[in-house]
Amino acid sequence: MFPLANRLARSVRGFGLGSLLALAGCTANYYRKSADHLAYGVIQSKAPLVPDMDPHFTIEQTNTLSLDGLLVSTEKPDFLGSNGGREAGARVVNLDEALNLAVKYSRSYQARKEQLFLSGLTLTLARHQFTPLFNSEANVDYAVQRTDLEELTGVPGLEDEYAKQAKVTAGGTIGASWLIRDVGRITTAFTADAIRFVTGDPRLTTSSQLSATFFRPMLRDAGFKAEAEALIQAERQLLYDLRDFTRYRKDFSVQIATAYYGVLGLRDAAKNSFLTLQSSRINAERTRALAQEGRVTTADLGRLEQQEL
């Protein structure tokens, strides 16, 4: 009987340990998704209060950059000199696409988004303190008790199996705690214990207990005012962060547009300089021919050659 009971106990403990590990992994993944869902929910609920706030705010992104949808340049501008050939086959980015790429892949922009998301998580945690909080605990134990019956009774030759008693002890507790604003905290717990004797006297003993506690401070708002104030501050802070993020997004868009038009301006400046160079060369060449005929002065020719340089 003992080898069978021992194997049964080991199997139960092994199965319980494996179940707890699997449950822990599933629970961690579940709570992560639940926290993300709650944080996005509070942000979306307050987004209509802030003008121009993105109602589909998210911090999820991929780090792969794809330019397949952009136009391909086939020109080789002469005004860029030897570097003009590099533009052949390059992607052409307009202002909308530049803003889209900056929003998706800018580290500073992503950091501000994550800061706003953390503010949403803080609010959900503050709200969580005022919801029913459940907890549970379970344990299983297997033990063997040995007794020397010959020494205890004075009767020699008693078999060992009568001197061994194996038992399985199991217990569990389920509880809940609920903090109610301006009322107090209610705590409940249900505890159940069971003992099963495998050998000797095979019987099952069970017991259970249900308890509840209501805590209400004697002084007005004592102990609860700080927690209620933390919730109020978290509500306000998320609204402040939404406004700050909206203002930052506008400034960020202006910076990207300024940089984009700055590049186009430098490109036009290079093109204008190239056209001016070509015009100066033509004027200098024509003036040299006129100087050989004596129709212009040497000073005019020198001025045009200096302009060409």
Side-chain angles (χ1 to χ4, degrees):
M1 180 178 294
F2 282 104
L4 179 59
N6 197 14
R7 289 196 300 270
L8 178 60
R10 287 198 300 267
S11 300
V12 170
R13 288 197 295 268
F15 176 77
L17 179 60
S19 300
L20 288 176
L21 292 176
L23 181 60
C26 296
T27 302
N29 187 37
Y30 167 78
Y31 281 120
R32 182 187 66 81
K33 293 182 178 179
S34 177
D36 291 347
H37 177 73
L38 291 176
Y40 285 132
V42 296
I43 292 175
Q44 292 175 0
S45 65
K46 291 185 178 296
L49 302 177
V50 180
D52 300 327
M53 177 59 195
D54 184 9
H56 305 291
F57 172 84
T58 178
I59 62 172
E60 304 296 332
Q61 68 168 0
T62 58
N63 293 326
T64 58
L65 177 61
S66 177
L67 304 177
D68 295 337
L70 301 179
L71 297 176
V72 180
S73 175
T74 58
E75 299 179 357
K76 297 180 180 180
D78 296 335
F79 64 87
L80 293 180
S82 59
N83 293 324
R86 297 182 179 181
E87 290 204 357
R91 302 289 178 172
V92 180
V93 181
N94 58 30
L95 180 58
D96 291 338
E97 292 165 345
L99 290 171
N100 186 35
L101 291 174
V103 166
K104 286 184 177 180
Y105 302 104
S106 171
R107 291 187 178 182
S108 60
Y109 190 85
Q110 182 68 18
R112 293 300 295 263
K113 290 170 59 178
E114 292 174 355
Q115 180 180 349
L116 177 59
F117 182 78
L118 290 177
S119 181
L121 283 178
T122 302
L123 176 56
T124 58
L125 178 59
R127 289 182 177 180
H128 184 67
Q129 302 301 322
F130 291 88
T131 59
L133 305 179
F134 297 94
N135 61 84
S136 62
E137 181 181 357
N139 59 82
V140 179
D141 186 31
Y142 174 78
V144 177
Q145 182 180 1
R146 300 177 180 272
T147 304
D148 191 347
L149 294 182
E150 184 176 351
E151 180 180 353
L152 181 64
T153 61
V155 180
L158 291 179
E159 297 182 2
D160 290 341
E161 65 176 298
Y162 296 101
K164 299 178 182 178
Q165 186 179 58
K167 63 180 180 179
V168 178
T169 304
T173 302
I174 299 177
S177 178
W178 190 4
L179 176 61
I180 305 176
R181 188 187 303 184
D182 300 329
V183 176
R185 181 181 293 275
I186 301 176
T187 303
T188 61
F190 176 77
T191 304
D193 296 309
I195 300 177
R196 175 70 179 183
F197 292 90
V198 181
T199 61
D201 185 9
R203 64 183 184 275
L204 177 65
T205 303
T206 61
S207 64
S208 60
Q209 181 180 3
L210 177 63
S211 62
T213 304
F214 174 72
F215 175 76
R216 171 68 182 178
M218 298 297 295
L219 300 177
R220 183 178 181 181
D221 295 332
F224 297 106
K225 188 174 182 180
E227 298 186 16
E229 184 62 27
L231 176 59
I232 295 174
Q233 184 60 36
E235 296 276 359
R236 293 176 178 175
Q237 188 62 45
L238 178 58
L239 190 59
Y240 299 155
D241 291 340
L242 283 169
R243 293 173 179 172
D244 291 341
F245 176 75
T246 303
R247 186 182 303 109
Y248 169 79
R249 188 175 64 175
K250 292 179 180 179
D251 294 339
F252 181 80
S253 300
V254 171
Q255 293 175 7
I256 297 301
T258 302
Y260 180 83
Y261 285 118
V263 172
L264 296 183
L266 293 175
R267 181 184 178 89
D268 290 339
K271 183 177 182 180
N272 293 335
S273 298
F274 179 75
L275 295 177
T276 302
L277 173 61
Q278 289 183 321
S279 177
S280 299
R281 287 176 176 174
I282 294 174
N283 291 335
E285 204 53 46
R286 183 174 63 250
T287 304
R288 290 190 188 95
L290 293 176
Q292 291 178 359
E293 298 294 332
R295 299 177 60 180
V296 296
T297 63
T298 306
D300 293 336
L301 178 59
R303 180 177 57 81
L304 291 175
E305 289 179 345
Q306 182 66 30
Q307 181 180 356
E308 180 184 1
L309 293 176

